[in-house]
Amino acid sequence: AQSVSQHNHHVILSEAASLELGCNYSYGGTVNLFWYVQYPGQHLQLLLKYFSGDPLVKGIKGFEAEFIKSKFSFNLRKPSVQWSDTAEYFCAVNVNTGFQKLVFGTGTRLLVSP
Amino acid sequence: NAGVTQTPKFQVLKTGQSMTLQCAQDMNHEYMSWYRQDPGMGLRLIHYSVGAGITDQGEVPNGYNVSRSTTEDFPLRLLSAAPSQTSVYFCASSYDFGGEETQYFGPGTRLLVL
C-alpha cells in the first residue's frame, strides 16, 4: 500500500526564517502530489499540486515545492515565513487513475513566532 | 457558491446511537468523498462516490454507510456509534478537469462518542 511520510511533526520558526517541510512517498509509478494547509479552526485548503511537467511547483502565499522523482520526495518550501503561516501542513499523494484516492501524511504543525 | 457545507459542526453521541453527517456541494462536482482526521494519523478515506448512485469503500469503511441519490448531497451514516469513531470528519468534492482533479474540503464535523 502507498504511504506518505512527513518526518517533521512539529516545527517552530521565527518570522522571516526559511521553511522546508519534508514529504516522502512510497510508490514507484505515476503520482499526483499535493500540499494542503489547515489554519487553526479551518478546513483544509490546497496550497499547491503537481501532476506533470516542471517539477518545481509554485503555489499560493509564496509557497513552492519540488518533485524529485529519484528521491520519491515532494518537499515544501517558503523563503520567509510569516506569523500567519502558523498552521498544520499535510502532504498527500494520489496513485489512482480516475477518482483521486488521496493518501495523506500525518501532518506537520508549524508555529511561527513573531 | 457556498462550496462544500457540512452539518452539524459538533456532535456528541452515546455508544450505540446512530446519526447522519450531512454534506452538500453546490459546484456540480461529480466526485464526493468522506475522510476522518485523527491525531497523528492524517486524513483517511472512508467512502467515496464518482456520481449519483455510485459509491465505493475507501481505506476505513467499517461502521459507516453512504448513499448518493443526488449530485449535491453525500450523507455519511454511523450505524451504531463507537468511541473509536470519535474524530473530525471532512467531506470533499472534486471534478476531473483535463486530467487534473482538485479536492475541495468542507469545514468538518467534530464528533465525540462517549
Side-chain angles (χ1 to χ4, degrees):
Chain A
Q2 299 80 35
S3 65
V4 178
S5 298
Q6 292 182 243
H7 307 294
N8 313 103
H9 298 297
H10 294 91
V11 173
I12 302 174
L13 294 173
S14 300
E15 275 193 316
S18 64
L19 170 71
E20 181 160 2
L21 301 182
C23 173
N24 289 90
Y25 62 92
S26 64
Y27 184 71
T30 301
V31 293
N32 307 140
L33 298 157
F34 307 83
W35 275 98
Y36 282 88
V37 61
Q38 187 175 29
Y39 297 104
Q42 297 189 26
H43 59 281
L44 275 78
Q45 301 172 41
L46 182 68
L47 267 181
L48 46 78
K49 58 186 178 182
Y50 173 80
F51 282 83
S52 62
D54 189 343
L56 184 61
V57 180
K58 294 194 183 299
I60 61 172
K61 303 186 180 185
F63 286 91
E64 65 178 30
E66 185 174 12
F67 171 49
I68 303 180
K69 189 173 182 179
S70 61
K71 295 185 177 180
F72 299 91
S73 70
F74 190 55
N75 292 354
L76 181 71
R77 300 194 292 248
K78 186 171 184 179
S80 176
V81 294
Q82 300 172 318
W83 176 79
S84 58
D85 293 323
T86 293
E88 190 161 16
Y89 293 81
F90 292 94
C91 181
V93 171
N94 172 56
V95 303
N96 195 47
T97 54
F99 170 73
Q100 284 181 359
K101 292 183 182 179
L102 293 180
V103 177
F104 282 83
T106 53
T108 297
R109 284 188 186 272
L110 172 66
L111 175 63
V112 180
S113 57
Chain B
N1 286 351
V4 180
T5 57
Q6 293 182 237
T7 56
K9 290 186 177 180
F10 303 97
Q11 184 70 48
V12 180
L13 290 179
K14 294 181 180 179
T15 297
Q17 287 185 314
S18 63
M19 79 160 294
T20 299
L21 279 63
Q22 301 292 342
C23 174
Q25 54 95 3
D26 61 358
M27 297 175 283
N28 202 32
H29 286 173
E30 53 188 333
Y31 303 149
M32 295 186 75
S33 50
W34 277 101
Y35 292 84
R36 59 177 289 173
Q37 183 183 24
D38 300 297
M41 300 191 72
L43 280 78
R44 292 178 293 168
L45 181 64
I46 304 172
H47 284 286
Y48 65 96
S49 168
V50 298
I54 307 170
T55 64
D56 206 345
Q57 297 180 350
E59 182 184 354
V60 287
N62 292 341
Y64 307 95
N65 271 358
V66 292
S67 60
R68 183 105 179 264
S69 56
T70 67
T71 300
E72 296 77 20
D73 301 299
F74 191 44
L76 178 72
R77 296 183 193 84
L78 280 68
L79 308 173
S80 178
S84 60
Q85 293 179 304
T86 293
S87 187
V88 182
Y89 292 85
F90 289 99
C91 179
S93 73
S94 58
Y95 69 102
D96 190 327
F97 181 73
E100 293 193 8
E101 180 189 335
T102 299
Q103 296 198 20
Y104 296 85
F105 286 83
T109 294
R110 224 171 251 284
L111 177 66
L112 173 63
V113 183
L114 302 174

